[in-house]
Amino acid sequence: MDRRNFLGVLGAGFIVGIAPARADDTSQAATRRTGDMTPIDKPKAEWKQLLEPERYEVLFKEATERAGTSPLNKEKRDGTFICAACYLPLFDARFKFESGTGWPSFYDTLPDAVDTKRDFRLVWPRTEYHCARCGGHQGHVFEDGPKPTGLRYCNNGLALQFVPDGETLPDLRS
């Protein structure tokens, strides 16, 4: 094993993701969380039957939608952004900001809503994040976001659904 491969393996072993500081989670979205947080292990064939093809490609094949195409980029109402696959609440709308990237961006997540892993597909390492419940790919997190966390969760709009405050969150899929 050469030095470069050794360092890559070493780095992958020690760098497992970003542990963001938690923004105030006393919001309505945090209190609206419902259901079982136990991860679900549904076969991809079942997800493929439940989801539109574009959503399935993003969530379970880790595709990326084209920048600037999501209507969620312009969403400014109070509410909750949920996983489009299992309906787990992931983001409070208060955490959303305009990043100029062409994808919905957030500076924090709801507690325990996402899991991270290192992604080396573009040569340099990135931190990829998924729904903690169904494993659906959401996007990548970068350390160039606003205060208070300094993080930017750059999300595929197809991986999310928006539920405005005042509407009932859907029951979690199992």
Side-chain angles (χ1 to χ4, degrees), residues 105-125:
S105 296
F106 305 86
Y107 65 80
D108 206 354
T109 68
L110 290 172
D112 305 317
V114 302
D115 290 327
T116 61
K117 73 176 184 178
R118 294 304 267 181
D119 169 4
F120 293 91
R121 276 178 273 166
L122 293 181
V123 181
W124 66 90

Side-chain angles (χ1 to χ4, degrees), residues 18-89:
I18 297 171
R22 233 352 101 209
D24 173 24
D25 66 358
T26 58
S27 68
Q28 183 179 7
T31 59
R32 290 173 72 191
R33 275 184 96 164
T34 58
D36 183 8
M37 282 297 297
T38 304
I40 55 176
D41 189 24
K42 184 186 295 285
K44 287 187 179 180
E46 288 184 37
W47 287 119
K48 194 170 189 172
Q49 290 180 339
L50 287 171
L51 300 168
E52 299 91 350
E54 299 83 14
R55 284 191 195 270
Y56 175 79
E57 288 295 315
V58 167
L59 286 158
F60 295 103
K61 296 277 190 153
E62 299 180 353
T64 301
E65 69 188 356
R66 213 166 26 104
T69 60
S70 176
L72 294 180
N73 288 337
K74 295 182 176 128
E75 184 57 66
K76 304 224 185 292
R77 295 175 288 173
D78 291 338
T80 306
F81 291 86
I82 64 173
C83 173
C86 73
Y87 303 149
L88 179 70

Side-chain angles (χ1 to χ4, degrees), residues 3-22:
R3 181 175 176 262
R4 180 175 294 172
N5 288 335
F6 173 76
L7 291 175
V9 170
L10 184 65
F14 286 104
I15 303 171
V16 294
I18 297 171
R22 233 352 101 209

